[in-house]
Amino acid sequence: MDAAAPATPPLSDDLGKGKIRRSTRPRGRDDIPLVLLSDRRFDVGTLPKDMQRVYRQLAEKHGDEYGLLFVFTMRTAVELHRAWNMTLLTSNVLQQIKDEFDLHMTWDLGVFRLKFRVDDGAHELHRKVPYDYDSEYQDIYYRIAIALIRGDISVDEALLYQTEAKHGIHTAGSGLFLRDFPGRLVVYPLQASMCAIIFFNGGWIDAAIAAICGLVAGFVEYTLSYVGGQAKMLIDVTVGLTTGIIGGLWYKFQGQGCLSAIFLGTLYWFFYGTAFVIGLLEIIAGELETGVTRFVAVSVKTFVLSLGASLGLMLAVKGGASIAWHESTELYCGGIVNGQWYRIPVYLLCSVGVLGQFRLQISRYWVGLLVQLAAYEIQYQTNNGLQETFLIDHLDTATSNIAGATVGVLVACALSWVGNKFRKIYAARLLQKDQTKDSCFRNLVYSFMRYSVKVHSAIRINRRSEIQKLQLEEKLKRQHEELNDPSSSRSRIEVEGEDEDLYLETVVGSQDINIWSILMPAVYQLVPGSVIAKFWFAAIFPPVQDGTENSEQKPDGTQDSVFSNLMGKKQFIFQNIIFFLQSMLITSHTTIARNNLPMSNKVISASLSLGLIFGFALVQDFIYARRHLLGSCCEEDPEKALDGKRRQTTISGMYTSVGSPDDDPPSIRHESVKNGNKDE
């Protein structure tokens, strides 16, 4: 692939002119009949102008495929970033592509800006990419990359599949409805109402008001997003204002309701709580710039939302915002779910809203719900079991969060492993690649998957292509029988037209699932972004003790010199950030009352990050031990051994920054040591 590689045929004159080249290309392995697919070519003319320029220069120097591999790698990074894929994992996937195809390419994945350098820095491209939760695209783009790395598809097919995915061709109709407005509006009120109850001690009336606020917030985001441009910058403050006004008017005229539950339940959608955990993981992994930037950026975003809601409340109650806030908290924020049978159903409804926000495929909701429920229940039960033991510290909170996050990782990995196994068996049967049809287990798995496809299609939560694949199976089966018939002239299996698209979709769909796509919603609920919002509301509406007005140290542990000046005095900005990070990462001083401001929430981000690290480390150790145990006991298939090594590398990318050999070449280290000895 590099400059020393053999020369490739000259580029076609049709490249970049809107034409697609096609030629026949057989594909198969020794134990599988050859499958004839058309050699589809990606139209580079659809790329941005800067990418076209870089592609042409790379293609002229290294060959057509090398240029396309650069394009694919860059598009994979951009789309995974846009879908809020974990930065460490995205970098890990890019490194696997680079190593597999010997690309001379480096990258810098920031929080908002992405930089790509290729051909030893001869070309550099920048992208500023907005991001939003998108579990489906996290999974699709990850699988496309893995299929390319394994050699199951060509780079042209991978690029075409990316384009089709972007246009929604590989998304079910139900997923397209919830993916964007106006269908997406149905998710806002569901999540707001259930969050108000399960997380913020609200009641049924509070849930109803939160649902109204959530629907209005959805319309606000829909309208401003449709206008576009600078109007998008007003989304957070406008959502906060409308929420504060609606909640304040209800409290003013009805005289009841938990304002904090209404506000936090509605704004939960906009807090991006997982950024705290991801930021800490990046800091621990050595990615300090992105970790700290992400941490501070989401804190400022949360402050804007909280301040907007507070201003809306002030407008609604005509100046008595602080009195209304503390009065409602004291009188109406008692909670209704603790100890009740409907606690888990309410949490599951909240989880459905979260999965809708994350755009997870509806046919996979059951997987996400199992991960969410397992993590939440372990966290809840562990915290309840330990809180009477740890009365003056926050070790119960830390322990419960570590346990919840660890269990969430283990359950997500276990379900992913089972799902991967089932899909591979099912895909092998569909494509007539399974030579072990006498296996009872594989027959049972195939029957279960086939039945699931029919059920999901009947209730219209699956892609239409899933039923069409069953028809493709019959065609391939007939051709396979003809291939084995001595009297038949058939020498290979041919796939044409729409059947070819189904064939490639089956191949990509059989790749390993992106674990982060089903784990992130659970992490999102374990560490709600409302944690820091409670700090901001405590700063905006500080509790005042009798006779201690303007005291430096508040009973809830906040400090006037820190929080109240955070957005007002520039000379205090640095000190405020340091104090904020300290308060989020460690426990409060023992002199501060444990039951005032929920100080135990300060350890949530750090303890959840440790829980994720422990969980992934356990999974990685298990994969390593299993691979070496099987290797010592029996001869393992080389292809399976390579897949196992790739999985272990991918798991490492979930919680560590896997460096490239180019980051610190050994020869440079040896020379520096040698020179240092000479100087001495």
Side-chain angles (χ1 to χ4, degrees):
M1 299 291 180
D2 56 15
T8 57
L11 297 177
S12 169
D13 293 335
D14 294 336
L15 266 180
K17 298 181 180 179
K19 298 182 180 180
I20 297 179
R21 298 170 294 164
R22 291 180 180 270
S23 63
T24 57
R25 171 171 52 87
R27 177 185 306 175
R29 297 202 308 263
D30 294 339
D31 58 336
I32 299 174
L34 290 178
V35 177
L36 188 65
L37 298 178
S38 63
D39 192 10
R40 303 192 294 179
R41 294 289 180 171
F42 174 71
D43 178 16
V44 297
T46 61
L47 296 173
K49 297 298 183 181
D50 56 350
M51 290 185 71
Q52 288 190 43
R53 289 193 297 269
V54 175
Y55 159 77
R56 288 192 174 277
Q57 294 187 45
L58 292 175
E60 291 175 1
K61 185 176 181 180
H62 302 295
D64 185 19
E65 187 177 14
Y66 189 96
L68 291 177
L69 285 168
F70 160 73
V71 172
F72 175 81
T73 305
M74 182 172 171
R75 290 201 348 168
T76 298
V78 169
E79 296 305 327
L80 284 177
H81 179 87
R82 194 189 310 278
W84 225 113
N85 195 60
M86 187 174 175
T87 304
L88 297 175
L89 179 57
T90 300
S91 183
N92 180 281
V93 172
L94 300 185
Q95 186 64 45
Q96 291 188 57
I97 299 174
K98 175 183 175 180
D99 294 341
E100 180 68 24
F101 299 103
D102 192 24
L103 297 180
H104 300 167
M105 182 176 179
T106 60
W107 49 84
D108 183 9
L109 306 180
V111 176
F112 300 103
R113 187 174 295 277
L114 312 180
K115 302 176 183 178
F116 304 92
R117 305 174 189 87
V118 66
D119 210 14
D120 296 325
H123 309 284
E124 179 172 322
L125 295 180
H126 292 206
R127 291 291 185 269
K128 188 175 181 180
V129 184
Y131 56 83
D132 195 6
Y133 295 128
D134 199 330
S135 288
E136 182 180 24
Y137 278 8
Q138 285 181 23
D139 188 45
I140 288 179
Y141 283 96
Y142 172 81
R143 291 189 186 204
I144 298 172
I146 297 301
L148 177 63
I149 293 171
R150 296 183 74 249
D152 293 336
I153 59 177
S154 69
V155 64
D156 287 280
E157 291 167 344
L159 286 165
L160 289 170
Y161 202 97
Q162 284 184 335
T163 302
E164 293 171 354
K166 190 73 173 178
H167 293 158
I169 295 177
H170 300 287
T171 299
S174 56
L176 292 175
F177 176 76
L178 295 178
R179 169 163 292 280
D180 207 348
F181 297 108
R184 195 161 176 75
L185 289 173
V186 303
V187 185
Y188 285 79
L190 173 62
Q191 186 187 104
S193 58
M194 294 300 101
C195 284
I197 295 176
I198 196 69
F199 291 134
F200 307 120
N201 297 321
W204 297 114
I205 295 179
D206 302 321
I209 303 303
I212 296 174
C213 292
L215 185 60
V216 173
F219 272 110
V220 168
E221 185 172 20
Y222 180 20
T223 302
L224 295 180
S225 298
Y226 180 80
V227 173
Q230 300 301 320
K232 291 184 177 181
M233 296 181 62
L234 301 176
I235 290 178
D236 289 342
V237 66
T238 307
V239 165
L241 279 170
T242 56
T243 301
I245 291 173
I246 296 173
L249 289 175
W250 169 262
Y251 190 81
K252 177 181 179 180
F253 291 107
Q254 296 298 323
Q256 61 178 341
C258 179
L259 289 175
S260 63
I262 296 172
F263 288 6
L264 294 173
T266 303
L267 302 181
Y268 189 95
W269 181 288
F270 303 90
F271 283 150
Y272 286 99
T274 48
F276 293 116
V277 177
I278 302 305
L280 285 176
L281 277 175
E282 290 171 335
I283 292 173
I284 294 172
E287 302 292 338
L288 300 180
E289 292 182 2
T290 55
V292 174
T293 302
R294 193 185 307 278
F295 213 91
V296 175
V298 76
S299 303
V300 174
K301 175 184 175 69
T302 306
F303 177 81
V304 172
L305 290 164
S306 303
L307 183 60
S310 302
L311 292 174
L313 177 61
M314 179 191 70
L315 295 175
V317 300
K318 297 182 179 180
S322 182
I323 297 175
W325 177 268
H326 292 299
E327 184 181 73
S328 72
T329 301
E330 181 178 353
L331 298 178
Y332 303 109
C333 296
I336 61 173
V337 296
N338 288 333
Q340 300 296 328
W341 65 268
Y342 49 79
R343 175 178 62 85
I344 290 181
V346 169
Y347 178 80
L348 290 177
L349 282 175
C350 178
S351 299
V352 170
V354 169
L355 295 178
Q357 180 184 4
F358 274 78
R359 298 179 173 93
L360 185 69
Q361 302 95 314
I362 296 180
S363 61
R364 205 174 291 171
Y365 269 25
W366 68 273
V367 179
L369 290 174
L370 285 177
V371 177
Q372 290 169 305
L373 181 60
Y376 164 74
E377 195 62 16
I378 291 296
Q379 182 193 47
Y380 181 85
Q381 297 297 343
T382 303
N383 187 67
N384 284 350
L386 296 177
Q387 64 181 356
E388 297 300 327
T389 304
F390 301 93
L391 298 177
I392 61 174
D393 55 38
H394 302 285
L395 293 179
D396 54 340
T397 302
T399 303
S400 62
N401 287 324
I402 291 174
T406 302
V407 169
V409 171
L410 296 178
V411 173
C413 290
L415 291 175
S416 298
W417 183 84
V418 173
N420 293 337
K421 189 73 174 178
F422 279 29
R423 275 189 300 274
K424 289 182 186 302
I425 294 175
Y426 180 64
R429 286 289 179 90
L430 288 180
L431 303 181
Q432 301 300 305
K433 294 183 178 181
D434 189 0
Q435 305 299 319
T436 59
K437 296 186 177 181
D438 56 343
S439 170
C440 294
F441 173 73
R442 299 177 77 88
N443 290 335
L444 181 63
V445 169
Y446 170 74
S447 299
F448 170 78
M449 293 293 293
R450 187 182 178 93
Y451 177 77
S452 299
V453 166
K454 291 183 177 181
V455 171
H456 291 164
S457 298
I459 58 180
R460 298 183 183 278
I461 63 173
N462 222 351
R463 293 175 298 196
R464 184 179 303 175
S465 60
E466 296 299 332
I467 289 294
Q468 295 173 343
K469 290 175 186 177
L470 299 179
Q471 301 170 358
L472 172 64
E473 178 192 13
E474 297 299 325
K475 297 179 182 178
L476 294 177
K477 186 177 180 180
R478 286 196 299 269
Q479 293 191 37
H480 192 272
E481 292 174 350
E482 294 175 0
L483 193 66
N484 294 329
D485 186 358
S487 61
S488 175
S489 61
R490 181 175 295 278
S491 60
R492 65 185 66 180
I493 295 177
E494 298 180 359
V495 182
E496 300 176 348
E498 293 183 357
D499 290 343
E500 183 174 348
D501 295 330
L502 296 175
Y503 188 96
L504 294 175
E505 185 178 87
T506 304
V507 170
V508 173
S510 66
Q511 307 301 320
D512 289 350
I513 189 175
N514 183 346
I515 298 174
W516 192 242
S517 67
I518 60 174
L519 179 61
M520 184 183 279
V523 176
Y524 179 74
Q525 288 179 287
L526 290 176
V527 56
S530 56
V531 170
I532 185 56
K534 293 178 181 178
F535 283 93
W536 296 139
F537 279 121
I540 297 169
F541 303 125
V544 179
Q545 289 182 329
D546 295 337
T548 60
E549 190 174 357
N550 297 326
S551 60
E552 181 179 359
Q553 181 70 44
K554 298 291 184 180
D556 60 1
T558 59
Q559 293 178 332
D560 286 340
S561 61
V562 175
F563 286 109
S564 61
N565 292 314
L566 183 57
M567 294 298 158
K569 298 182 179 180
K570 295 181 180 179
Q571 62 267 33
F572 288 121
I573 290 295
F574 180 76
Q575 294 91 329
N576 293 339
I577 291 176
I578 295 299
F579 179 83
F580 163 71
L581 292 175
Q582 180 187 26
S583 63
M584 284 300 296
L585 298 178
I586 64 175
T587 60
S588 60
H589 298 294
T590 56
T591 57
I592 299 173
R594 174 186 169 93
N595 58 351
N596 287 329
L597 188 67
M599 292 306 228
S600 58
N601 285 335
K602 293 181 178 181
V603 299
I604 287 182
S605 297
S607 55
L608 281 175
S609 298
L610 292 177
L612 292 175
I613 291 174
F614 290 158
F616 283 122
L618 288 174
V619 173
Q620 188 179 22
D621 290 341
F622 173 78
I623 294 175
Y624 178 84
R626 178 178 177 272
R627 187 161 59 90
H628 283 267
L629 183 62
L630 291 177
S632 60
C633 296
C634 55
E635 185 176 355
E636 188 176 8
D637 180 79
E639 185 176 352
K640 291 184 178 179
L642 183 59
D643 286 341
K645 188 175 181 179
R646 288 196 186 105
R647 291 190 188 99
Q648 191 172 5
T649 302
T650 301
I651 293 295
S652 298
M654 295 284 185
Y655 67 101
T656 61
S657 180
V658 181
S660 168
D662 299 331
D663 292 339
D664 190 13
S667 61
I668 296 179
R669 291 203 304 271
H670 294 162
E671 291 173 2
S672 63
V673 172
K674 188 182 300 182
N675 293 335
N677 293 336
K678 288 182 179 180
D679 294 338
E680 293 179 359

